[in-house]
Amino acid sequence: MPTPDTSQEPDRTPARRVSVDPQGPVLVEGPVEIVLGDGTVARSDRFTVAVCTCRRSRTYPWCDTSHRRRERTAPTTDDRNS
């Protein structure tokens, strides 16, 4: 029986896992490098990285949970002024 030719097998480098949450960020197993539209590179060596998809984050491209709805609370009355 002939030996299979392994020279044309695809690279077996472990794949990165990416989790997509329709209501939140994209989670990517790190380390991660992201090339932004202007060519700059953002890098994170964290185990898992949350990448912003809503562009509301103040730390873009990293998610800071700005996508979550903010609930307004009713103003409290200040009893000290009475």
Side-chain angles (χ1 to χ4, degrees):
M1 181 173 214
T3 307
D5 181 14
T6 59
S7 63
Q8 294 184 9
E9 285 188 17
D11 184 15
R12 296 290 179 195
T13 304
R16 296 277 180 209
R17 181 175 301 245
V18 177
S19 302
V20 179
D21 179 353
Q23 301 300 318
V26 172
L27 300 177
V28 182
E29 289 183 359
V32 174
E33 282 188 353
I34 296 179
V35 179
L36 300 172
D38 64 359
T40 59
V41 177
R43 179 174 172 84
S44 175
D45 292 320
R46 297 185 67 153
F47 179 74
T48 300
V49 178
V51 180
C52 177
T53 58
C54 70
R55 294 192 163 262
R56 291 183 221 161
S57 175
R58 288 176 290 204
T59 59
Y60 187 83
W62 317 120
C63 178
D64 67 359
T65 68
S66 293
H67 60 274
R68 294 181 184 165
R69 287 192 174 155
R70 307 277 186 208
E71 290 185 27
R72 294 183 183 219
T73 57
T76 58
T77 56
D78 189 358
D79 292 330
R80 290 177 286 166
N81 291 335
S82 304

